[in-house]
């Protein structure tokens, strides 16, 4: 099913990358029986949580280090780490059970050694690594207080990718619409807010 969803978006990866993405999905499906990680299942889960973030990452030619805010179920951070072969991903999650799930994934995935899980709210963080090039938000609204915290913690050239369904978009910046979907990725640099 994953190969079909990736192909639908014109994506093709090595067997190793697809295997790692399948492992992520398998763990997500297993753990979602115990804790609330997502209501998605089947094709919707493969498409929304893996194929669409991978397509967004390819369109933006993501590289380097990423911070995924409100990581919860690991998407979009883990699919981006794996499919874009990012140097590192910081997964920031404030809820304990979800942070435990993310730490478990770091032990199960080949890319896990490049995953750093932090159980925290971004607003409570006092510093972040200097080399973060990307910040992703999915299911998190970029309210003024959050934007102020991002500006405090990151360089002005850090790119923020807000992934949402529907018509909500940033008025400035780049807006990518995933083909055949209602998913929109709005992209801005922090100095554009």
């Amino acid at each position: 099913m994953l190969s079909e969803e990736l192909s639908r978006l014109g994506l093709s990866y090595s067997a190793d990358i697809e295997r790692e993405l399948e492992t992520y999905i398998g763990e997500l499906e297993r753990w979602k029986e115990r804790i609330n990680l997502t209501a998605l299942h089947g094709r919707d889960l493969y498409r929304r949580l893996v194929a669409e973030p991978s397509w967004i990452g390819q369109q933006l030619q993501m590289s380097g280090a990423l911070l995924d805010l409100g990581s919860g179920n690991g998407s979009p951070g883990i699919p981006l780490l794996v499919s874009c072969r990012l140097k590192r991903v910081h997964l920031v999650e404030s809820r304990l059970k979800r942070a435990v799930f993310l730490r478990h994934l770091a032990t199960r995935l080949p890319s896990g050694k490049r995953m750093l899980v932090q159980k925290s709210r971004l607003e409570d963080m006092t510093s972040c690594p200097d080399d973060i090039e990307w910040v992703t938000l999915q299911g998190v609204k970029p309210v003024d207080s959050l934007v102020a915290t991002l500006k405090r913690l990151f360089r002005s050239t850090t790119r923020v990718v807000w992934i949402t369904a529907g018509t909500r978009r940033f008025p400035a910046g780049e807006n990518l619409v995933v083909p055949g979907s209602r998913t929109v990725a709005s992209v801005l640099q922090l100095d554009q807010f």
Side-chain angles (χ1 to χ4, degrees):
M1 206 175 330
L2 176 61
S3 294
E4 293 169 18
E5 290 303 317
L6 293 171
S7 292
R8 188 180 66 76
L9 292 174
L11 301 172
S12 177
Y13 296 110
S14 70
D16 289 344
I17 289 175
E18 282 199 30
R19 198 169 20 259
E20 187 167 3
L21 292 171
E22 288 279 5
T23 299
Y24 160 64
I25 291 168
E27 291 297 313
L28 178 59
E29 288 179 325
R30 195 165 63 84
W31 276 66
K32 78 176 191 163
E33 300 301 320
R34 292 183 268 166
I35 62 174
N36 180 21
L37 293 169
T38 182
L40 298 172
H41 59 275
R43 285 196 184 283
D44 290 338
L45 186 142
Y46 283 79
R47 183 181 62 254
R48 293 278 313 279
L49 299 185
V50 178
E52 289 182 1
S54 298
W55 181 86
I56 291 165
Q58 183 183 64
Q59 296 303 304
L60 296 174
Q61 298 180 345
M62 289 179 140
S63 63
L66 173 137
L67 183 133
D68 183 29
L69 181 58
S71 295
N73 60 28
S75 181
I78 293 172
L80 289 170
L81 172 70
V82 175
S83 66
C84 295
R85 298 182 184 245
L86 297 176
K87 179 172 73 173
R88 184 175 61 257
V89 67
H90 296 260
L91 303 170
V92 178
E93 173 56 49
S94 63
R95 291 166 283 190
L96 178 62
K97 289 180 181 180
R98 292 179 179 203
V100 168
F101 168 69
L102 296 171
R103 287 186 179 116
H104 168 76
L105 286 174
T107 67
R108 300 283 299 176
L109 299 174
S111 296
K113 61 187 174 290
R114 299 189 331 261
M115 290 170 49
L116 300 165
V117 178
Q118 186 161 357
K119 189 213 163 287
S120 178
R121 290 174 7 104
L122 186 72
E123 295 84 351
D124 297 334
M125 295 171 66
T126 56
S127 66
C128 283
D130 290 337
D131 67 341
I132 299 293
E133 297 174 47
W134 301 91
V135 174
T136 52
L137 303 96
Q138 182 168 310
V140 176
K141 290 183 182 178
V143 295
D144 291 342
S145 61
L146 176 62
V147 172
T149 302
L150 290 170
K151 287 181 175 183
R152 177 177 56 83
L153 292 172
F154 300 102
R155 294 174 296 172
S156 63
T157 57
T158 301
R159 288 161 285 188
V160 177
V161 181
W162 181 41
I163 302 171
T164 187
T167 57
R168 293 184 297 175
R169 302 174 187 194
F170 285 127
E174 181 179 6
N175 290 290
L176 299 172
V177 179
V178 178
S181 171
R182 294 182 54 232
T183 300
V184 176
S186 296
V187 186
L188 284 170
Q189 284 187 182
L190 281 175
D191 59 5
Q192 293 176 306
F193 278 94

Coordinates of all heavy atoms in Angstrom, one line a residue, residues 1-6 17-33 37-38 40-54 73-75 78-79 82 101 104-105 108-109:
M1 N 0.8 -1.2 0.0 CA 0.0 0.0 0.0 C 0.9 1.3 0.0 O 0.5 2.2 -0.7 CB -0.9 0.0 1.2 CG -2.2 0.8 1.0 SD -3.4 0.7 2.4 CE -3.3 -0.8 3.1
L2 N 2.0 1.2 0.7 CA 2.8 2.4 0.8 C 3.4 2.7 -0.6 O 3.4 3.9 -1.0 CB 4.0 2.2 1.8 CG 5.0 3.4 1.8 CD1 4.4 4.7 2.2 CD2 6.2 3.0 2.7
S3 N 3.9 1.7 -1.3 CA 4.4 1.9 -2.7 C 3.4 2.6 -3.6 O 3.7 3.5 -4.4 CB 4.9 0.6 -3.3 OG 6.0 0.1 -2.6
E4 N 2.1 2.2 -3.5 CA 1.1 2.8 -4.3 C 0.9 4.2 -4.0 O 0.7 5.1 -4.9 CB -0.2 2.0 -4.1 CG -0.2 0.6 -4.6 CD -1.4 -0.3 -4.1 OE1 -2.4 0.3 -3.7 OE2 -1.3 -1.5 -4.2
E5 N 0.8 4.6 -2.7 CA 0.6 6.0 -2.3 C 1.8 6.8 -2.7 O 1.6 8.0 -3.1 CB 0.3 6.1 -0.8 CG -1.0 5.5 -0.4 CD -2.2 6.1 -1.1 OE1 -2.2 7.4 -1.2 OE2 -3.1 5.4 -1.5
L6 N 3.0 6.3 -2.6 CA 4.2 7.1 -3.0 C 4.2 7.3 -4.5 O 4.4 8.4 -5.0 CB 5.5 6.4 -2.6 CG 5.7 6.3 -1.1 CD1 6.9 5.4 -0.8 CD2 6.0 7.7 -0.5
I17 N 14.7 2.5 2.2 CA 13.8 3.6 2.6 C 12.4 3.2 2.8 O 11.7 3.4 3.8 CB 14.0 4.8 1.7 CG1 15.4 5.4 1.9 CG2 12.9 5.9 2.0 CD1 15.7 6.6 0.9
E18 N 11.9 2.5 1.8 CA 10.5 2.0 1.9 C 10.3 1.0 3.1 O 9.3 1.1 3.8 CB 10.0 1.4 0.6 CG 9.7 2.4 -0.5 CD 8.8 1.9 -1.6 OE1 8.0 0.9 -1.3 OE2 8.9 2.4 -2.7
R19 N 11.3 0.2 3.3 CA 11.2 -0.8 4.4 C 11.2 0.0 5.8 O 10.4 -0.3 6.7 CB 12.4 -1.7 4.4 CG 12.2 -3.0 5.2 CD 13.3 -4.1 4.9 NE 14.5 -3.6 4.3 CZ 14.8 -3.8 3.0 NH1 14.0 -4.4 2.2 NH2 16.0 -3.4 2.5
E20 N 12.0 1.0 5.9 CA 12.0 1.8 7.1 C 10.7 2.6 7.3 O 10.2 2.6 8.4 CB 13.2 2.8 7.1 CG 13.3 3.5 8.4 CD 14.7 4.2 8.6 OE1 15.5 4.2 7.6 OE2 14.9 4.8 9.6
L21 N 10.1 3.1 6.2 CA 8.8 3.8 6.3 C 7.7 2.8 6.7 O 6.8 3.1 7.5 CB 8.5 4.5 5.0 CG 9.4 5.7 4.7 CD1 9.1 6.2 3.3 CD2 9.2 6.8 5.7
E22 N 7.8 1.6 6.2 CA 6.8 0.5 6.5 C 7.0 0.1 8.0 O 6.0 -0.1 8.7 CB 7.0 -0.7 5.6 CG 6.6 -0.6 4.2 CD 5.1 -0.8 4.0 OE1 4.3 -0.9 5.0 OE2 4.7 -0.7 2.8
T23 N 8.2 0.1 8.5 CA 8.4 -0.2 9.9 C 7.8 0.8 10.8 O 7.1 0.5 11.8 CB 9.9 -0.4 10.2 OG1 10.5 -1.4 9.4 CG2 10.2 -0.6 11.7
Y24 N 8.0 2.1 10.4 CA 7.4 3.2 11.1 C 5.9 3.0 11.2 O 5.2 3.1 12.2 CB 7.8 4.5 10.5 CG 6.9 5.7 10.8 CD1 6.7 6.1 12.2 CD2 6.1 6.3 9.9 CE1 5.9 7.2 12.5 CE2 5.3 7.3 10.2 CZ 5.1 7.8 11.5 OH 4.3 8.8 11.8
I25 N 5.2 2.7 10.0 CA 3.8 2.6 9.9 C 3.4 1.4 10.8 O 2.4 1.5 11.5 CB 3.3 2.4 8.5 CG1 3.5 3.7 7.7 CG2 1.9 1.9 8.4 CD1 3.4 3.5 6.2
G26 N 4.1 0.3 10.8 CA 3.8 -0.9 11.6 C 3.8 -0.6 13.1 O 2.8 -1.0 13.8
E27 N 4.8 0.1 13.5 CA 4.9 0.5 14.9 C 3.7 1.5 15.3 O 3.1 1.4 16.4 CB 6.2 1.1 15.2 CG 7.4 0.2 15.2 CD 7.2 -1.0 16.2 OE1 7.0 -0.7 17.4 OE2 7.4 -2.1 15.8
L28 N 3.4 2.4 14.4 CA 2.4 3.4 14.6 C 1.0 2.6 14.8 O 0.2 2.9 15.7 CB 2.3 4.4 13.5 CG 1.2 5.4 13.5 CD1 1.3 6.3 14.8 CD2 1.3 6.3 12.3
E29 N 0.7 1.7 13.9 CA -0.5 1.0 13.9 C -0.6 0.1 15.2 O -1.6 0.0 15.8 CB -0.7 0.1 12.7 CG -1.0 0.9 11.5 CD -1.2 0.2 10.2 OE1 -0.4 -0.9 10.0 OE2 -2.0 0.6 9.4
R30 N 0.5 -0.5 15.6 CA 0.6 -1.3 16.8 C 0.3 -0.5 18.1 O -0.5 -0.8 18.9 CB 1.9 -2.0 16.9 CG 1.9 -3.2 17.9 CD 3.1 -4.1 17.7 NE 4.4 -3.4 17.8 CZ 5.0 -3.3 19.0 NH1 4.5 -3.7 20.1 NH2 6.2 -2.7 19.1
W31 N 1.0 0.7 18.2 CA 0.9 1.5 19.3 C -0.4 2.3 19.4 O -0.8 2.6 20.5 CB 2.1 2.5 19.4 CG 3.3 1.9 20.0 CD1 4.1 0.9 19.5 CD2 4.0 2.3 21.2 NE1 5.1 0.6 20.3 CE2 5.1 1.5 21.4 CE3 3.7 3.3 22.1 CZ2 5.9 1.6 22.5 CZ3 4.5 3.4 23.2 CH2 5.6 2.6 23.4
K32 N -1.0 2.6 18.3 CA -2.2 3.4 18.3 C -3.4 2.6 19.0 O -4.4 3.2 19.3 CB -2.6 3.9 17.0 CG -3.3 3.0 16.0 CD -3.6 3.7 14.7 CE -4.5 2.8 13.9 NZ -5.3 3.6 12.9
E33 N -3.2 1.3 19.1 CA -4.2 0.5 19.8 C -4.2 0.8 21.3 O -5.2 0.6 22.0 CB -4.0 -1.0 19.6 CG -4.0 -1.4 18.1 CD -5.4 -1.1 17.5 OE1 -6.4 -1.3 18.1 OE2 -5.4 -0.7 16.3
L37 N -2.8 8.0 19.0 CA -1.8 8.6 18.1 C -2.4 9.2 16.9 O -1.9 10.2 16.3 CB -0.7 7.6 17.8 CG 0.1 7.1 18.9 CD1 1.0 5.9 18.5 CD2 1.0 8.2 19.4
T38 N -3.4 8.5 16.4 CA -4.1 9.0 15.2 C -5.4 8.2 15.0 O -5.5 7.1 15.4 CB -3.2 8.8 13.9 OG1 -3.9 9.3 12.7 CG2 -2.9 7.4 13.7
L40 N -6.5 7.9 11.9 CA -6.3 7.5 10.5 C -6.0 6.0 10.5 O -5.3 5.5 11.4 CB -5.2 8.2 9.8 CG -5.4 9.7 9.6 CD1 -4.2 10.4 9.1 CD2 -6.6 10.0 8.7
H41 N -6.4 5.3 9.4 CA -6.0 3.9 9.2 C -6.0 3.6 7.7 O -6.5 4.4 6.9 CB -7.0 3.0 10.0 CG -8.4 3.1 9.6 ND1 -9.2 4.1 10.1 CD2 -9.1 2.4 8.6 CE1 -10.4 4.0 9.5 NE2 -10.4 3.0 8.6
G42 N -5.4 2.5 7.4 CA -5.4 2.1 6.0 C -4.7 3.1 5.0 O -3.7 3.7 5.4
R43 N -5.3 3.2 3.8 CA -4.7 4.1 2.8 C -4.6 5.6 3.3 O -3.6 6.3 3.0 CB -5.5 4.1 1.6 CG -5.4 2.9 0.7 CD -5.9 3.2 -0.7 NE -5.8 1.9 -1.4 CZ -4.7 1.5 -2.0 NH1 -3.6 2.1 -1.8 NH2 -4.7 0.4 -2.7
D44 N -5.5 6.0 4.1 CA -5.5 7.4 4.7 C -4.2 7.6 5.5 O -3.6 8.6 5.4 CB -6.7 7.7 5.5 CG -8.0 7.9 4.6 OD1 -7.8 8.1 3.4 OD2 -9.1 7.7 5.1
L45 N -3.9 6.6 6.4 CA -2.7 6.7 7.2 C -1.5 6.7 6.4 O -0.6 7.6 6.6 CB -2.7 5.5 8.2 CG -1.6 5.5 9.2 CD1 -2.1 5.0 10.5 CD2 -0.4 4.8 8.8
Y46 N -1.4 5.9 5.4 CA -0.2 5.8 4.5 C 0.0 7.1 3.8 O 1.1 7.7 3.6 CB -0.3 4.7 3.5 CG 0.0 3.3 4.1 CD1 -0.9 2.6 4.8 CD2 1.2 2.7 3.9 CE1 -0.7 1.4 5.3 CE2 1.5 1.5 4.4 CZ 0.6 0.8 5.1 OH 0.9 -0.4 5.6
R47 N -1.1 7.6 3.2 CA -1.1 8.8 2.4 C -0.8 10.1 3.3 O 0.2 10.8 3.0 CB -2.4 9.0 1.7 CG -2.4 10.3 0.7 CD -3.7 10.5 0.0 NE -4.8 10.7 0.9 CZ -5.8 9.9 1.2 NH1 -5.8 8.7 0.6 NH2 -6.7 10.2 2.0
R48 N -1.6 10.3 4.3 CA -1.5 11.6 5.1 C -0.2 11.6 5.9 O 0.4 12.7 6.1 CB -2.7 11.7 6.0 CG -4.0 11.9 5.3 CD -4.3 13.4 4.8 NE -4.0 14.4 5.8 CZ -4.9 14.7 6.8 NH1 -6.0 14.1 6.9 NH2 -4.6 15.6 7.7
L49 N 0.2 10.5 6.5 CA 1.3 10.5 7.5 C 2.6 10.2 6.9 O 3.6 10.5 7.5 CB 1.0 9.6 8.7 CG -0.3 10.0 9.5 CD1 -0.4 9.1 10.7 CD2 -0.3 11.5 9.9
V50 N 2.7 9.6 5.7 CA 4.0 9.2 5.1 C 4.1 9.8 3.7 O 5.1 10.6 3.5 CB 4.2 7.7 5.1 CG1 5.5 7.4 4.4 CG2 4.1 7.1 6.5
A51 N 3.2 9.5 2.8 CA 3.4 9.9 1.4 C 3.4 11.5 1.3 O 4.2 12.0 0.6 CB 2.4 9.3 0.5
E52 N 2.4 12.1 1.9 CA 2.3 13.6 1.7 C 3.5 14.3 2.3 O 4.0 15.2 1.6 CB 1.0 14.1 2.3 CG -0.2 13.6 1.4 CD -1.6 14.1 1.9 OE1 -1.6 14.9 2.9 OE2 -2.6 13.8 1.2
P53 N 3.9 14.0 3.6 CA 5.1 14.7 4.1 C 6.3 14.4 3.2 O 7.1 15.3 3.0 CB 5.3 14.1 5.5 CG 4.0 13.6 5.9 CD 3.3 13.2 4.6
S54 N 6.5 13.2 2.7 CA 7.6 12.9 1.8 C 7.6 13.7 0.5 O 8.6 14.2 0.1 CB 7.6 11.4 1.5 OG 7.8 10.6 2.7
N73 N 2.6 11.5 16.8 CA 2.7 10.2 16.1 C 3.9 10.1 15.2 O 4.1 9.1 14.5 CB 1.4 10.0 15.3 CG 1.2 11.0 14.3 OD1 2.1 11.6 13.7 ND2 -0.1 11.2 13.9
G74 N 4.8 11.1 15.2 CA 6.0 11.0 14.5 C 6.0 11.6 13.1 O 7.0 11.7 12.4
S75 N 4.8 12.1 12.7 CA 4.7 12.7 11.3 C 4.4 14.2 11.5 O 3.7 14.6 12.4 CB 3.5 12.0 10.6 OG 3.4 12.6 9.3
I78 N 9.4 12.0 11.1 CA 10.1 10.8 10.8 C 10.1 10.5 9.3 O 11.1 10.2 8.7 CB 9.5 9.6 11.7 CG1 9.9 9.9 13.1 CG2 10.0 8.3 11.2 CD1 9.3 8.9 14.1
P79 N 8.9 10.6 8.6 CA 9.0 10.4 7.2 C 9.9 11.4 6.5 O 10.6 11.0 5.5 CB 7.5 10.7 6.7 CG 6.7 10.3 7.9 CD 7.5 10.7 9.1
V82 N 13.6 10.1 7.1 CA 13.9 8.9 6.3 C 13.9 9.3 4.8 O 14.9 8.9 4.1 CB 12.9 7.8 6.6 CG1 13.1 6.6 5.7 CG2 12.9 7.4 8.1
F101 N 6.5 6.9 22.9 CA 6.3 6.2 21.6 C 7.5 6.7 20.6 O 8.1 5.9 20.0 CB 5.0 6.6 21.0 CG 4.8 6.2 19.5 CD1 4.8 4.9 19.1 CD2 4.8 7.2 18.5 CE1 4.7 4.5 17.8 CE2 4.7 6.9 17.2 CZ 4.6 5.5 16.8
H104 N 10.7 5.1 21.6 CA 10.6 3.7 21.1 C 11.0 3.6 19.6 O 11.8 2.7 19.3 CB 9.2 3.1 21.3 CG 9.0 1.8 20.7 ND1 9.5 0.6 21.1 CD2 8.3 1.5 19.5 CE1 9.2 -0.4 20.3 NE2 8.5 0.1 19.3
L105 N 10.5 4.5 18.8 CA 10.8 4.5 17.4 C 12.3 4.7 17.2 O 12.9 4.1 16.3 CB 10.0 5.6 16.7 CG 8.5 5.3 16.4 CD1 7.8 6.5 15.8 CD2 8.3 4.0 15.6
R108 N 13.9 1.5 17.2 CA 13.5 0.5 16.2 C 13.8 0.8 14.7 O 13.9 -0.1 13.9 CB 12.0 0.3 16.3 CG 11.4 -0.1 17.6 CD 11.6 -1.5 17.8 NE 10.9 -2.3 16.8 CZ 10.9 -3.6 16.7 NH1 11.6 -4.3 17.5 NH2 10.3 -4.1 15.7
L109 N 14.1 2.1 14.4 CA 14.3 2.5 13.1 C 15.8 2.7 12.8 O 16.5 3.2 13.6 CB 13.6 3.8 12.8 CG 12.1 3.8 12.9 CD1 11.5 5.2 12.7 CD2 11.4 2.8 11.9

